[in-house]
Amino acid sequence: MGVDLRQVVAAVLTLTMFVMLGNMIKRDHFDSVEGKFPGGARDVDLDMEEGAVSLSRKSGGLWKEDGQQLKQCWNKPILDDVELTDGFVTFSLTNGPEYHVSQITDAVVVARYLGATLVLPYIRGSKPGDERSFGEIYDVEKFIKSLDGVVRVAKDLPAEISTRNLAVVKVPNRVTEEFIVEHVEPVYKRKGNIRLATYFPSVNMKKSPKKSSSDSVACLAMFGTLQLQPEIQEVVDSMVERLRTLSRKTDGQFIAVDLRVDMLEKKNCHENGDTGTRSCYNAQEVGAFLRKMGFDKDTPVYLTESRWQSSLDALKDLFPKTYTKESIMPADKRKKFLDSEGSEYEKVIDFYVCSESDVFVPAISGLFYSNVAGKRIVAGRTQILVPANIRESSASASGFITPYVSKKNHLAYSCFC
């Protein structure tokens, strides 16, 4: 039986019309959403200009595909190698997820060395009385399972042990076995139970040239124990997906910038005369930096500042698609995660969105930058650009890749290869 060419052509045209209609409906939906975003009354045009080329093609490598996820260079330790004891190690998580990572690591290393049982921590916010259970933010069962056979974990301290009688022992971030032997173990043997408090003499996360028998424990604790509880993970996923949908001109790619106005006000952002470096950059400086890197004005930019402030307008003038959490968080989740009195949820969401963006720009130096860099390195997302005031009209992004990546000196490279 012969095929009528006119029927074939008609079928193809019909299918094409349905595809075009579907795209128009999806675009109209997100255009209407974007028109309501706060951050200034500037109109943002989502339609592709005639002849426009996506940034990933015309920028010659600004957007790099994620590299391969690194493989762990260590073997999971086993509990048989440790002499078990009857005591407990307790601790709290404070100051946000960037600190949680380090506090968990130190507590696991100490408990493992002592042969003690680790008690699930509470999470304390910045305000008095702001306390949450571990399970309100992190997945309890996955945490316990990740440490199975490495460290014993209890959900609660036994009722007969009073928290008031616990000896408080301060340990430095990235605690060493030598420190444990000299300052922690004697107290533990004398008291039987201890409470750890991690302090941070440095926020540097460079890998150490010295090897230790506890390295594998630290690697597991830092990179293999903490996962968000499902509801928060869903919020992060939906926000990342929204940003990618708003990134049609950049093939679904977006930039995350750690820029918090309150932190900028506290820090001294003046340039160091000796080194020419700075510890932070404001919105205008970040915007100028990104433009000189070659990023197109239609590039979506996510800021860790929760709500829009007028000081951010200078960045939005250069990048109209600049958003804060209140812009892209699902409306039904804002009351719980954005409008609550504590800020722990907001910090956690920022940490994980910045870990998943295509490009990360730390406008503020510190542990947030260092530990987000660690998560990104392990996942192969190494596009981390450290800002600078560039006098020339343009510059190559490769010259501003974080030394954590360009020199491969982050602690993550000790754990993964």
Side-chain angles (χ1 to χ4, degrees):
M1 185 174 88
V3 177
D4 189 335
L5 183 60
R6 289 174 296 178
Q7 290 180 326
V8 173
V9 171
V12 171
L13 288 174
T14 301
L15 178 61
T16 302
M17 288 177 64
F18 276 115
V19 171
M20 292 176 63
L21 179 61
N23 288 335
M24 289 173 63
I25 293 172
K26 186 164 77 170
R27 184 178 66 190
D28 286 344
H29 169 71
F30 284 105
D31 282 2
S32 65
V33 170
E34 184 171 31
K36 297 176 183 177
F37 288 164
R42 303 161 183 77
D43 293 327
V44 180
D45 182 13
L46 274 179
D47 293 331
M48 288 287 284
E49 298 173 4
E50 185 177 355
V53 183
S54 72
L55 181 59
S56 60
R57 291 192 291 273
K58 74 177 182 180
S59 62
L62 274 175
W63 300 110
K64 291 185 179 180
E65 291 186 7
D66 292 346
Q68 282 190 328
Q69 286 195 3
L70 301 181
K71 296 180 180 180
Q72 68 182 49
C73 306
W74 44 274
N75 296 318
K76 185 175 180 179
I78 57 176
L79 204 55
D80 293 344
D81 297 337
V82 179
E83 182 180 345
L84 301 181
T85 59
D86 295 329
F88 292 83
V89 171
T90 69
F91 68 112
S92 294
L93 300 181
T94 59
N95 299 321
E98 67 270 35
Y99 287 86
H100 298 174
V101 172
S102 297
Q103 290 161 342
I104 285 284
T105 302
D106 292 328
V108 170
V109 168
V110 170
R112 162 83 180 187
Y113 187 89
L114 299 175
T117 298
L118 186 70
V119 180
L120 276 183
Y122 279 87
I123 300 172
R124 291 194 288 112
S126 55
K127 298 178 181 178
D130 182 11
E131 187 173 272
R132 303 177 190 278
S133 70
F134 185 82
E136 288 184 72
I137 290 182
Y138 298 110
D139 191 312
V140 172
E141 298 308 320
K142 287 185 177 179
F143 177 79
I144 295 175
K145 185 177 180 180
S146 69
L147 292 172
D148 183 38
V150 180
V151 174
R152 293 171 297 169
V153 180
K155 292 185 177 180
D156 297 291
L157 194 65
E160 64 270 16
I161 300 176
S162 172
T163 56
R164 295 181 179 179
N165 297 330
L166 294 178
V168 178
V169 182
K170 294 184 178 181
V171 298
N173 177 34
R174 300 174 67 177
V175 64
T176 63
E177 289 183 351
E178 292 79 10
F179 187 95
I180 296 172
V181 170
E182 186 175 351
H183 300 283
V184 183
E185 190 173 31
V187 179
Y188 176 74
K189 286 184 175 180
R190 191 168 64 251
K191 296 290 187 178
N193 305 290
I194 59 173
R195 179 175 183 81
L196 293 183
T198 299
Y199 65 93
F200 291 81
S202 170
V203 294
N204 193 312
M205 293 301 290
K206 289 182 180 179
K207 62 182 180 181
S208 172
K210 294 177 61 177
K211 298 293 183 180
S212 168
S213 60
S214 64
D215 285 349
S216 59
V217 179
C219 288
L220 170 64
M222 179 164 285
F223 298 108
T225 59
L226 288 181
Q227 291 188 39
L228 294 178
Q229 56 99 325
E231 186 181 10
I232 300 181
Q233 186 62 59
E234 288 176 9
V235 172
V236 170
D237 291 343
S238 68
M239 291 172 65
V240 170
E241 181 61 29
R242 176 67 62 86
L243 286 162
R244 296 204 183 287
T245 305
L246 294 168
S247 312
R248 286 201 310 277
K249 289 187 179 181
T250 55
D251 292 344
Q253 294 165 312
F254 71 97
I255 300 170
V257 180
D258 179 29
L259 195 160
R260 290 160 282 162
V261 174
D262 62 326
M263 291 294 290
L264 290 177
E265 292 173 348
K266 294 175 184 177
K267 279 183 171 281
N268 181 359
C269 295
H270 297 300
E271 187 171 297
N272 185 315
D274 297 328
T275 64
T277 59
R278 293 172 56 181
S279 61
C280 50
Y281 293 84
N282 62 33
Q284 183 175 5
E285 292 165 332
V286 169
F289 170 74
L290 292 176
R291 289 306 296 269
K292 289 183 178 182
M293 289 290 96
F295 289 102
D296 188 86
K297 67 179 180 64
D298 288 309
T299 303
V301 178
Y302 172 83
L303 300 180
T304 53
E305 178 64 45
S306 293
R307 295 170 178 79
W308 196 264
Q309 301 200 29
S310 59
S311 60
L312 303 175
D313 288 346
L315 177 55
K316 197 172 184 71
D317 287 338
L318 294 173
F319 292 90
K321 296 180 181 180
T322 297
Y323 310 117
T324 57
K325 278 183 287 300
E326 66 178 343
S327 306
I328 58 171
M329 184 180 290
D332 61 333
K333 300 295 183 181
R334 290 174 194 163
K335 183 176 181 180
K336 178 174 181 178
F337 295 114
L338 191 57
D339 298 332
S340 60
E341 291 186 6
S343 60
E344 289 304 304
Y345 287 135
E346 298 174 31
K347 293 176 183 177
V348 167
I349 289 168
D350 284 334
F351 187 84
Y352 283 85
V353 171
C354 288
S355 298
E356 295 187 26
S357 64
D358 300 280
V359 175
F360 173 54
V361 178
I364 305 167
S365 65
L367 203 58
F368 187 97
Y369 155 45
S370 296
N371 276 335
V372 165
K375 280 188 67 67
R376 294 181 65 92
I377 288 167
V378 172
R381 302 187 187 100
T382 55
Q383 275 291 79
I384 306 169
L385 302 180
V386 178
N389 287 328
I390 304 171
R391 292 181 174 83
E392 296 78 13
S393 59
S394 63
S396 170
S398 61
F400 297 90
I401 294 289
T402 172
Y404 280 143
V405 171
S406 61
K407 296 182 179 180
K408 291 192 174 181
N409 64 9
H410 194 282
L411 177 62
Y413 289 109
S414 297
C415 300
F416 294 84
C417 50

